[in-house]
Amino acid sequence: MPDRARTKVTVATEWHRGPIDDRLFGSFVEHLGRCVYTGIYEPDHPTADAWGFRGDVAALVQELGVTLVRYPGGNFVSGYDWRDGIGPRTERPRRLDLAWRTIESNQVGTDDFLQWAARVGVEPMMAVNLGTAGIREAAELVEYCNLERGTTLSDLRRQHGAESPYGVRLWCLGNEMDGPWQIGHKTADEYGRLARETGHAMRLVDPSIELVVCGSSGAWMDTFGSWESTVLDHAWDVADYVSLHAYYEETGGDRASFLASGAAMDRFIEDVVATVDAVAARKRSRKRLRLSFDEWNVWYQSRYADPQHSPIDEAAPRLEDVYGTVDAVVVGDLLMSLVNHADRVAIGCLAQLVNVIAPIRTDPGGAAWRQAIFHPVAETIRRARGRRSLIVGVEGGELATAQHGDVPEVAAAATHDPVSGQITVFLTNRADTVVPVDVRHGGVATWRRARASTVVADERGPLHDAAAAGTARPVELTRAVTQDGVTRLDLPPRSWTVLDAVE
Ligand code: AHR
């Protein structure tokens, strides 16, 4: 292969964006399908703990390494009364959830979730209902969760067994309020004002909380851009973060566009950064709002009927996508986009955690297993948590895609741990041919050894069981050779690779 055909990837530990926030590697539990019931919670399961939560699922959540979990929705939160989910389980009401047209038994609620999160070791990120509820319910939920004692609600929490306040820091002001499907959907002016007033009241209860205002439900929304601008005009002073949501899928057999989903995510993030910085400029504010990408994943949304017209069920399977290696490659690429924007994106939530478009699946009463997308998530978190995000130079070819225009053929991201000297370079080959790559350390230091492992998109289609999902575990790329500080490797077609080196 002549030299000019090689893609050149350069990293240097001197060029970095600063530390990656631990919160970038979160996930999401919604009262939807079997995410909660027979997902994280199943009191009759053989592995259930004293509180009725599945031990096998908790172990996989810890192995996955997610740092934060958003709860209780999603669309669900826009019709949810948090008071239904507290107190003795036998007294909790059975309600009709209109977001997903299901019966909600309320056997899991705020206390149950927050205590599970503490046991599993993840930070909770709570969402408040700004669809059918408002300022009072939101402020009272903060009081129930975070106030020490001496009021009816804080004492009620203590009566329910939680003597110490939970100290929940992170709160979402509603969910996808720009979407006409949302219960209590609002215009940007209506939502912006409500978010401001609600955030203000919640902060009067606990001034230490951090608030996420709803951005757009996707870059495809007609109101994208103007929604963020108008909402932030109203809610600038209370907002610490603005949210982004995006789901990617392969449509019409257009695998090239699907494999370039990371480039679409890059663009979305950069467009939101430009929009929120324009608001800052207009307001002559020095605040640099950070982004909360609190729903992202591959979701084969077009395969499902509109949930708002489906028959009413209870904790039945919904949105249980089965993922293959091609999805694992795309999820790896999307994680690289988050790492490459770690200076502005502080929070990320892989949606969702169990059964519903999830890395973990379960059988009721039976096994829990890793889906194909589990592997890139776990491998990335292991190599990015607590590290810095490096600025990576890529000189290579471009690919034409129908949906995203020309995108880099090879995408790259890198992390560095200044204490141990460990560097990881993540590489996606979006092309359907082998791409030869030279990876070098362009700074003062260099590396002598590097080890690469790869996931290759399997063209045979989705993988259906625990054993098959194992094929999405990265395997060592034996032909990675390091000489004079340059690692030469051939990236297989449609693959995601991690290259570990030590300075
Ligand atoms: O994650 C599934 C759904 O996707 C969430 O409930 C909603 O916020 C989004 O539209």
Side-chain angles (χ1 to χ4, degrees), residues 268-289:
F268 184 23
I269 293 171
E270 286 155 23
D271 286 349
V272 173
V273 168
T275 306
V276 305
D277 286 353
V279 177
R282 230 180 20 246
K283 289 181 174 284
R284 290 167 178 77
S285 166
R286 297 180 80 82
K287 176 153 115 181
R288 283 292 165 269
L289 208 67

Side-chain angles (χ1 to χ4, degrees), residues 127-419:
V128 299
N129 175 354
L130 291 189
T132 59
I135 304 171
R136 172 177 223 130
E137 292 86 345
E140 289 183 347
L141 179 57
V142 179
E143 180 183 334
Y144 181 83
C145 291
N146 286 6
L147 204 74
E148 178 84 36
R149 62 171 75 215
T151 64
T152 305
L153 287 174
S154 56
D155 290 341
L156 186 62
R157 182 202 66 238
R158 292 162 62 83
Q159 207 179 301
H160 292 155
E163 294 228 341
S164 306
Y166 294 110
V168 179
R169 290 275 78 78
L170 210 46
W171 296 84
C172 303
L173 292 165
N175 175 72
E176 295 189 349
M177 298 310 298
D178 61 327
W181 59 88
Q182 201 67 216
I183 300 168
H185 160 232
K186 295 184 171 41
T187 65
D189 281 306
E190 289 165 348
Y191 170 70
R193 275 190 45 72
L194 181 60
R196 183 184 71 200
E197 298 309 326
T198 307
H200 174 66
M202 291 166 77
R203 278 234 171 84
L204 289 173
V205 181
D206 181 351
S208 71
I209 59 175
E210 298 168 57
L211 295 170
V212 184
V213 299
C214 291
S216 295
S217 303
W220 50 272
M221 293 292 293
D222 287 343
T223 49
F224 175 51
S226 67
W227 170 271
E228 282 79 357
S229 239
T230 306
V231 166
L232 289 171
D233 268 339
H234 292 289
W236 185 255
D237 290 338
V238 299
D240 296 300
Y241 308 91
V242 63
S243 74
L244 295 81
H245 290 181
Y247 293 100
Y248 303 91
E249 68 180 311
E250 183 176 322
T251 49
D254 182 3
R255 187 152 287 187
S257 294
F258 180 49
L259 281 156
S261 298
M265 187 187 245
D266 289 341
R267 170 110 194 252
F268 184 23
I269 293 171
E270 286 155 23
D271 286 349
V272 173
V273 168
T275 306
V276 305
D277 286 353
V279 177
R282 230 180 20 246
K283 289 181 174 284
R284 290 167 178 77
S285 166
R286 297 180 80 82
K287 176 153 115 181
R288 283 292 165 269
L289 208 67
R290 297 207 291 164
L291 275 44
S292 173
F293 215 129
D294 46 45
E295 286 188 33
W296 70 268
N297 201 353
V298 170
W299 174 9
Y300 289 91
Q301 210 160 350
S302 54
R303 292 181 189 162
Y304 298 100
D306 178 356
Q308 297 185 342
H309 293 104
S310 55
I312 292 170
D313 57 17
E314 181 172 353
R318 294 279 187 102
L319 318 182
E320 296 200 357
D321 272 349
V322 175
Y323 294 113
T325 44
V326 66
D327 306 308
V329 169
V330 169
V331 163
D333 198 37
L334 294 169
L335 284 157
M336 286 163 47
S337 173
L338 294 177
V339 168
N340 277 332
H341 295 91
D343 50 343
R344 291 306 290 269
V345 185
I347 300 165
C349 299
L350 174 73
Q352 299 190 3
L353 186 59
V354 189
N355 290 328
V356 176
I357 46 173
I360 299 169
R361 285 283 303 274
T362 67
D363 279 335
W369 66 93
R370 301 164 193 82
Q371 289 230 68
I373 61 168
F374 184 100
H375 303 293
V377 178
E379 300 290 339
T380 300
I381 296 176
R382 209 173 297 147
R383 293 167 170 90
R385 192 174 172 190
R387 295 192 184 181
R388 290 169 169 174
S389 164
L390 298 184
I391 296 163
V392 187
V394 182
E395 286 171 70
E398 298 223 306
L399 276 179
T401 69
Q403 289 177 41
H404 317 303
D406 291 347
V407 302
E409 188 175 56
V410 170
T415 63
H416 175 231
D417 179 353
V419 178

